[in-house]
Amino acid sequence: QVQLAESGGGSVQAGGSLRLTCAASALTYVMAWFRQPLEKEREGIAAIYRNSGRIYLDDSVKGRFTISQDKEKMSAYLQMNNLKPEDTGMYYCAGSHSNTQWNGPTYYEFWGQGIQVTVSS
């Protein structure tokens, strides 16, 4: 079992930045970030594959968010710039040993507790 813990959330004004960190207890094949606005479904926004370094980003965050990893620290990061009110929601870190669809929540075995990000206009 891999434990994941998110940190770095909070409240910012539109146009601001936040950096989320996901600390893992072990390495996984892929790590990802999902966002879940209130009363909406969880959506994949970014993923990074450990060995290849391949990155996927949802169109809604391209040009504003970046995902990176530190394999030695077994951590993944989500740098969020130019935040918009529609970015508000719970952000979850997810990990998988054998994921084949980066933005499909059912393809991830491990999840963090989630962290709130609130962007005010």
Side-chain angles (χ1 to χ4, degrees), residues 20-23 31 33 48 67-70 74-78:
L20 303 183
T21 297
C22 176
M31 294 183 78
W33 289 96
I48 185 166
I67 185 171
S68 60
Q69 63 179 341
D70 184 327
M74 296 186 294
S75 295
Y77 308 95
L78 186 68

Side-chain angles (χ1 to χ4, degrees), residues 51-95:
N51 292 332
S52 67
R54 185 163 222 173
I55 288 172
Y56 293 89
L57 292 168
D58 186 74
D59 287 345
S60 65
V61 303
K62 282 180 181 176
R64 301 187 300 122
F65 292 11
T66 56
I67 185 171
S68 60
Q69 63 179 341
D70 184 327
K71 286 183 273 189
E72 284 191 6
K73 294 182 180 179
M74 296 186 294
S75 295
Y77 308 95
L78 186 68
Q79 178 66 45
M80 306 186 293
N81 298 327
N82 191 21
L83 282 158
K84 303 176 180 181
E86 51 264 41
D87 294 318
T88 294
M90 285 292 288
Y91 282 68
Y92 296 90
C93 177

Side-chain angles (χ1 to χ4, degrees), residues 2 22 38 42 46 48 75 84 97-98 105 108-109 113 121:
V2 178
C22 176
L38 191 63
R42 197 169 297 189
I48 185 166
S75 295
K84 303 176 180 181
H97 287 318
S98 59
Y108 289 85
E109 306 94 276
Q113 294 293 317
S121 57

